[in-house]
Amino acid sequence: MRGIDKGAGMRQATAAGVTLLVLALAAPVLAQEPKWGPHLDLEAKPGTKRALGEADLFIPVAQSTDTLLFANLRLRMDDNDGNEGNYGLGVRHMLDSRWNLGAYGYYDRRRSEYGNYFNQATFGVEALSQDWDARANYYAPVGRRSYQIDSLNAAEISGTSVVFRGGEERSMGGFDAELGWRVPVFDVNDGKALRVYGGGYRFTEDNMPAIEGPRFRAEMTFDSTPYLWDGSRFSLGAEWQHDDPRGSQGFLTARLRIPLQVYGKPSSQLTPMERRMSDPIQRDIDVVSRAGAFGTPEIATFTDGQAIKVINSAMTAGADLAAAVANAGANSTVLLSGNFLNVTNTVAVQAGQTLTAGTFAVRSASGRTAVLTTSATVSSSNVTFLFTTGGINGTINGLTINTDATLGTTIRVGHSGTTLSNNTINSGSYGIEVVAGQNVMIRGNTVTATSPNVHALYLSSGSSSPISATVTGNTLSSSAGYYMSYYQFSGSITVLGGSTGNVRGGGTCNVAGTISGAVGFTDGTTC
């Protein structure tokens, strides 16, 4: 969504500032008997997502019987370590038609919860009567508008690539407006008023989702309160707003006015419309900023600079998985992402190739890093060998592999240096079968075999094909067969040191032939 026209925004801000200055200079000479004195408003604003507190100092600068030029200094803090100061100048004028017109400008400076500082200019206009209020504000960021936040860096699969976006916090420009109505439950001269308001807001910035939505609030004001001094005011209110990026937010408000009247008439001597000349300025509570992965997209690599090849089920059907793996080539690291259904061909892992899913650190071209998490499920009902490790030093890591075939093997290992780690294998037949290979690593897998007389883990040395393997940290189970089996033919089988920490489920251990070493389980048994 396109952001606001910043050049046009600054021109509008300048025009509003000129208008405000003209109104101030045109104010009549200082009245002999000032009507309005300074005051301090203190506000507590607990909310559904955060709580705020505010101190608001209102200082008349010059006034006549119907015009008031004032300064306004506000400090706001929240319980997320954010704070903000607003420094404003405004003018209000009472018309004979019983409307008060006003205009104001502020310089705002905010420290966000991330410790970043943002500045903006705020310009607003208002029209207030006994029964109706109308307000509108325009917010224009000035100075530095964005900061990098590496903790918010993000990476995701996009097509056949990994795309990095840098974490940033950015300020946003925009506007808000509201219309209010006095609910006629009290007489206008009673010193009490219930008002309800409805409006909306919109804030934008390039390449970020707009923050826009409705806002509603209600306020009960007491200009005369027992046990408080003349000129005090007490208000209770509630507020609700909603936008898609931030969701719904609600606030309750309690506001107390403390008069600081070294001059000015007591509130009890002012008419209702004269009292409205010192109403609080209504505007958005913050310099609006958003934090997230909003940086320019960059193609990511692994942190060592190695290119990442992606096979995405959204672009590669299960039937095409074998060809996609072959095209990735030897010595490649291939991230699998998604659900690969109805795999129909044997997938051959090539020499030095890694097929993987899980959590990885990746790096952008600009040198920033992020964490990428992928998952991949491969399913088949009619393939004898779903994976065949056809090259030396191949790796399969972090995959979920499901097959309903009752004959054959889900993963068959036939070369040295093979690593099978952190996979979940649900097999209607043999789960993992090692037929040859030295220094085979089988680590952290969960293997379940479900058909009668099949093996979760099967070490079977063929003719002159010795096997040496480390088996550690696996969970092995067979509902009607063997959780682990050895069959020594002419080749030797050696279980290497460190083959411990395994968990055995259903099934039995079967040993045929002479085996060197043994696989240890957490219950103290060996196989």
Side-chain angles (χ1 to χ4, degrees):
M1 188 172 294
R2 296 182 59 188
I4 61 172
D5 182 340
K6 300 176 182 61
M10 291 306 297
R11 290 192 295 272
Q12 295 171 13
T14 302
V18 171
T19 301
L20 180 61
L21 180 60
V22 170
L23 287 172
L25 294 175
V29 295
L30 189 68
Q32 292 182 352
E33 296 183 2
K35 292 183 178 181
W36 300 282
H39 63 257
L40 175 67
D41 282 357
L42 301 177
E43 182 181 72
K45 195 166 187 174
T48 56
K49 294 186 176 180
R50 58 177 177 150
L52 303 100
E54 179 185 288
D56 183 338
L57 180 61
F58 184 92
I59 307 173
V61 175
Q63 56 183 285
S64 70
T65 57
D66 57 8
T67 302
L68 173 64
L69 176 67
F70 60 90
N72 189 206
L73 306 177
R74 307 199 308 183
L75 175 64
R76 173 168 279 150
M77 306 178 70
D78 65 31
D79 57 355
N80 291 332
D81 296 326
N83 59 69
E84 179 170 334
N86 310 133
Y87 315 96
L89 185 67
V91 62
R92 282 170 169 159
H93 179 68
M94 300 176 61
L95 300 178
D96 293 337
S97 59
R98 303 184 68 81
W99 281 88
N100 295 351
L101 302 184
Y104 45 85
Y106 284 84
Y107 176 78
D108 307 321
R109 182 168 175 82
R110 178 190 175 204
R111 181 187 184 276
S112 75
E113 62 185 278
Y114 294 96
N116 300 319
Y117 286 89
F118 297 102
N119 305 308
Q120 75 178 11
T122 297
F123 298 97
V125 292
E126 61 184 8
L128 312 178
S129 73
Q130 288 185 354
D131 297 322
W132 295 96
D133 296 4
R135 298 181 177 91
N137 298 294
Y138 172 72
Y139 307 92
V142 295
R144 184 170 179 174
R145 301 185 60 170
S146 67
Y147 295 84
Q148 290 186 354
I149 303 177
D150 284 338
S151 62
L152 299 178
N153 292 349
E156 63 180 1
I157 300 293
S158 179
T160 59
S161 300
V162 175
V163 175
F164 171 94
R165 284 184 177 270
E168 296 181 354
E169 184 178 23
R170 298 183 186 177
S171 62
M172 306 176 72
F175 63 88
D176 61 20
E178 71 173 9
L179 183 66
W181 175 60
R182 184 181 68 86
V183 182
V185 292
F186 303 105
D187 186 87
V188 70
N189 295 308
D190 281 352
K192 298 186 287 291
L194 173 62
R195 300 180 188 274
V196 293
Y197 299 86
Y201 53 92
R202 177 178 170 83
F203 295 87
T204 60
E205 175 58 19
D206 293 342
N207 302 315
M208 293 174 61
I211 294 178
E212 56 184 348
R215 177 183 292 145
F216 302 98
R217 64 187 186 92
E219 183 179 55
M220 181 68 191
T221 302
F222 302 88
D223 282 318
S224 177
T225 306
Y227 310 110
L228 293 181
W229 47 90
D230 197 7
S232 65
R233 173 184 286 184
F234 182 66
S235 303
L236 293 172
E239 183 178 317
W240 178 88
Q241 65 182 43
H242 175 84
D243 53 75
D244 287 340
R246 301 181 299 186
S248 295
Q249 298 183 68
F251 294 96
L252 297 175
T253 61
R255 190 177 185 96
L256 175 64
R257 173 167 298 177
I258 302 172
L260 307 173
Q261 288 181 295
V262 294
Y263 61 87
K265 292 183 178 181
S267 177
S268 58
Q269 297 181 20
L270 299 177
T271 68
M273 290 307 298
E274 288 175 336
R275 289 197 294 268
R276 299 220 68 192
M277 290 284 280
S278 59
D279 276 3
I281 296 294
Q282 298 295 332
R283 41 163 294 173
D284 198 90
I285 59 176
D286 292 315
V287 175
V288 175
S289 67
R290 287 289 290 160
F294 302 130
T296 302
E298 303 176 64
I299 299 300
T301 65
F302 288 110
T303 53
D304 62 1
Q306 181 185 6
I308 304 173
K309 296 185 178 182
V310 176
I311 300 178
N312 187 346
S313 66
M315 303 182 68
T316 301
D320 302 321
L321 180 59
V325 170
N327 290 336
N331 300 309
S332 60
T333 298
V334 182
L335 295 187
L336 271 63
S337 178
N339 295 319
F340 298 88
L341 306 176
N342 302 317
V343 176
T344 56
N345 295 307
T346 298
V347 178
V349 179
Q350 302 173 64
Q353 188 179 57
T354 296
L355 303 183
T356 187
T359 300
F360 312 90
V362 299
R363 187 179 69 188
S364 70
S366 59
R368 302 174 70 187
T369 60
V371 174
L372 171 71
T373 299
T374 68
S375 63
T377 300
V378 181
S379 302
S380 174
S381 60
N382 58 359
V383 176
T384 302
F385 300 112
L386 181 60
F387 279 89
T388 298
T389 304
I392 192 170
N393 298 327
T395 297
I396 300 172
N397 172 75
L399 307 186
T400 297
I401 306 169
N402 302 316
T403 178
D404 296 332
T406 58
L407 297 174
T409 303
T410 299
I411 297 181
R412 184 182 177 105
V413 176
H415 291 271
S416 296
T418 298
T419 298
L420 304 177
S421 57
N422 305 312
N423 300 289
T424 299
I425 301 167
N426 301 298
S427 177
S429 184
Y430 292 13
I432 298 174
E433 180 181 15
V434 181
V435 298
Q438 298 294 299
N439 298 312
V440 174
M441 173 61 73
I442 302 172
R443 178 183 61 234
N445 303 282
T446 298
V447 186
T448 303
T450 57
S451 296
N453 300 315
V454 297
H455 313 256
L457 174 58
Y458 183 35
L459 276 59
S460 172
S461 60
S463 176
S464 301
S465 300
I467 296 171
S468 65
T470 301
V471 181
T472 180
N474 302 280
T475 299
L476 307 173
S477 179
S478 178
S479 59
Y482 308 98
Y483 63 84
M484 186 167 182
S485 293
Y486 305 92
Y487 277 80
Q488 183 206 9
F489 293 100
S490 57
S492 63
I493 299 178
T494 301
V495 176
L496 299 174
S499 295
T500 59
N502 299 281
V503 177
R504 65 186 183 94
T508 59
C509 170
N510 183 68
V511 180
T514 302
I515 310 301
S516 175
V519 172
F521 292 85
T522 55
D523 61 2
T525 62
T526 60
C527 177

